[in-house]
Amino acid sequence: MRVATYNVNSIRLRLDSVLAWMARHKPDIVCVQETKVQDADFPEAPIRQAGYHVAFRGQKAYNGVAILSTTPPEDVRTGLDDGGPADETRLIRARFGEVTVVNTYVPQGREVDHEMFQYKLQWLRRLREYMDRHFSTRDPVIWAGDLNVAIQPMDVYNPEDRARHVCYHADARSALQYCLDWGFKDVFRAFHPEAGHYTFFDYRTADAMDRGWGWRIDYILASPPLTARARDAFIDVEPRRLPKASDHTYLVADFQ
Amino acid sequence: MRVATYNVNSIRLRLDSVLAWMARHKPDIVCVQETKVQDADFPEAPIRQAGYHVAFRGQKAYNGVAILSTTPPEDVRTGLDDGGPADETRLIRARFGEVTVVNTYVPQGREVDHEMFQYKLQWLRRLREYMDRHFSTRDPVIWAGDLNVAIQPMDVYNPEDRARHVCYHADARSALQYCLDWGFKDVFRAFHPEAGHYTFFDYRTADAMDRGWGWRIDYILASPPLTARARDAFIDVEPRRLPKASDHTYLVADFQ
DNA sequence: GGGAGGGCAG
DNA sequence: CTGCCCTCCC
């Protein structure tokens, strides 16, 4: 089973390149974030014509998540279900046979001093509780998406300078760690222990890719039964070099 | 001497196609309207690299006129100079040896009931006075541009239905006629007396070109000495079919 | 329908 | 820098 995650930064603008990438890499499941389209306008038909099922939840302009899959998704649910803001356009989950896939677009947080940073920390705490509430660590669960946090210093290009960045601040990292402590393992890191692997290169930093100024903030995380089945993982950086590319690129994990 | 006029609807967006068209058709002078760019951002360098001189006057978002030429423009002036609103981004004039070229983007008028329609009529009256003030009918003068008026019924696709259109209303046509009465002749019409020739196809009418639902509102007009030297004229409709085309297309006139 | 701008967000 | 939206204008 091949699983991929991609922050597409507009599914409408990049649909053709997504379908081309999928035709080439043949993933069974693709978690997509920042579709930036309300459900009425989601390009469902071309995705189905390409042979994929798709579940999605979006809004105008911001956020939006989708799961594309070769087999039909079961038990699709969106949003955090704890009575707080559901953020349905940031979390979508589906089951494929035994395996449950949770796809999230974690709030970025804007600035460390902004109220959205506290919202981000709270969101990650709520997500840990979501996992506690819905799953046991004996369940085969994949949590994938744009988590907007670099786990370790090696997941940022200049960690010394990033202490006050919302995606590297100690509070953000410990909030993410609290989620990982539920029982998730970072599949990519298990196969690639070395530094310098990134999934995101900011549009605003000139020549970010050539300079290697990236961030690893997109992940495929596996619960224990699936960690045991993980066979390989890689980041495909080529799509980031295409004209009109998303600022993120694809992360892929293969499971037995 | 080959003269062309083209409402480009953004010179920045269509610069490459304009330069390609010029390389192919080798005009000596091109009058451009709706450049939609302030002077600081006008793409002067690539035009000069293509071997053309250029005089321009524009603003952000709307209007904007330019004259491109193989020989350097002399005595460049912009705007109506009668003390009323000069509208410098709607009129530019230059001299090339003996020949003076006046390039205008006449106000469209919005709606017959809108104050801009009265402004349009007034603008055409002021333009006639401009010609009276600056030129004699013995001068070789070319007046070209987007005049936003169809001269005759045959210059609109469905004249019966257009009586209240700002580009065909009787008041607009007589205001334009007043300018023509200064002594200008419609060079294209002299060579093509038949109906069905248009320079503008509205983006909002679906398949306008295939249906032949156009307007002839762009003109190259000549004072008597130049009327005598006119040898041919044509509308090149192909650029209107290109992807991302302007809603207008090129009109060309050849003079001995 | 399709330019442009300004604002929001990352 | 690059998405989206909304408003303006034709």
Side-chain angles (χ1 to χ4, degrees), chain A residues 10 13 60 203-204 244:
Chain A
S10 170
L13 200 67
K60 276 190 182 179
Y203 288 131
R204 286 165 290 186
K244 303 244 108 204

Side-chain angles (χ1 to χ4, degrees), chain A residues 170-192:
Chain A
D171 292 348
R173 287 194 284 149
S174 61
L176 178 58
Q177 191 58 52
Y178 178 53
C179 292
L180 299 178
D181 290 345
W182 176 84
F184 284 111
K185 278 283 186 300
D186 176 352
V187 177
F188 178 85
R189 189 51 83 200
F191 293 97
H192 303 278

Side-chain angles (χ1 to χ4, degrees), chain B:
Chain B
M1 178 182 63
R2 170 164 281 191
V3 178
T5 183
Y6 183 45
N7 178 318
V8 71
N9 190 17
S10 169
I11 185 75
R12 283 177 293 182
L13 201 66
R14 262 174 282 279
L15 181 63
D16 289 349
S17 87
V18 168
L19 293 178
W21 186 90
M22 290 173 69
R24 170 145 185 223
H25 293 280
K26 310 225 177 293
D28 299 289
I29 295 167
V30 183
C31 295
V32 176
Q33 306 85 36
E34 285 207 84
T35 55
K36 292 189 174 179
V37 62
Q38 60 192 352
D39 292 348
D41 299 330
F42 189 93
E44 194 174 353
I47 291 170
R48 295 196 180 278
Q49 280 181 305
Y52 279 87
H53 298 85
V54 59
F56 52 89
R57 190 75 176 83
Q59 66 183 83
K60 276 190 181 180
Y62 310 117
N63 308 331
V65 282
I67 302 177
L68 287 64
S69 54
T70 50
T71 62
E74 300 171 82
D75 307 335
V76 175
R77 301 197 209 178
T78 58
L80 292 168
D81 56 355
D82 57 8
D87 267 356
E88 292 194 80
T89 61
R90 289 187 179 274
L91 185 155
I92 189 167
R93 146 189 163 199
R95 192 170 53 73
F96 301 92
E98 301 247 286
V99 176
T100 294
V101 174
V102 181
N103 174 20
T104 64
Y105 174 50
V106 174
Q108 188 254 13
R110 308 217 188 156
E111 303 279 328
V112 168
D113 306 313
H114 197 283
E115 60 176 344
M116 279 304 286
F117 186 62
Q118 292 308 315
Y119 184 76
K120 172 184 194 167
L121 301 180
Q122 185 64 19
W123 208 95
L124 286 165
R125 279 180 229 120
R126 294 169 65 203
L127 187 62
R128 160 66 193 255
E129 290 158 13
Y130 178 94
M131 301 297 181
D132 287 332
R133 206 159 54 241
H134 289 281
F135 311 112
S136 140
T137 54
R138 276 158 290 139
D139 296 328
V141 180
I142 287 171
W143 170 29
D146 177 356
L147 309 193
N148 266 318
V149 181
I151 296 176
Q152 297 180 53
M154 72 189 302
D155 296 320
V156 204
Y157 69 101
N158 242 359
E160 329 69 77
D161 301 346
R162 306 292 148 203
R164 283 189 52 81
H165 194 290
V166 289
C167 298
Y168 188 66
H169 189 280
D171 292 349
R173 288 194 284 149
S174 63
L176 177 58
Q177 191 56 52
Y178 178 53
C179 292
L180 299 178
D181 290 344
W182 176 83
F184 285 112
K185 278 282 187 299
D186 177 353
V187 177
F188 178 84
R189 190 51 83 202
F191 293 96
H192 304 277
E194 67 285 0
H197 296 291
Y198 306 124
T199 61
F200 166 74
F201 298 87
D202 199 309
Y203 287 130
R204 288 165 290 187
T205 57
D207 307 310
M209 275 202 79
D210 295 328
R211 293 168 159 184
W213 288 8
W215 294 72
R216 197 171 70 97
I217 56 179
D218 302 273
Y219 302 95
I220 295 169
L221 303 157
S223 70
L226 279 171
T227 298
R229 287 168 50 189
R231 286 296 170 265
D232 195 11
F234 67 95
I235 295 165
D236 180 9
V237 292
E238 286 317 305
R240 182 62 182 84
R241 295 194 180 276
L242 292 176
K244 302 243 110 204
S246 167
D247 43 358
H248 293 248
T249 195
Y250 294 84
L251 168 66
V252 181
D254 291 317
F255 299 89
Q256 191 180 42

Side-chain angles (χ1 to χ4, degrees), chain A residues 159-178:
Chain A
E160 329 69 79
D161 301 345
R162 304 295 148 201
R164 284 188 52 81
H165 194 292
V166 289
C167 297
Y168 188 65
H169 190 279
D171 292 348
R173 287 194 284 149
S174 61
L176 178 58
Q177 191 58 52
Y178 178 53

Side-chain angles (χ1 to χ4, degrees), chain A residues 14 28 30 101 237:
Chain A
R14 262 174 281 279
D28 300 288
V30 183
V101 174
V237 293

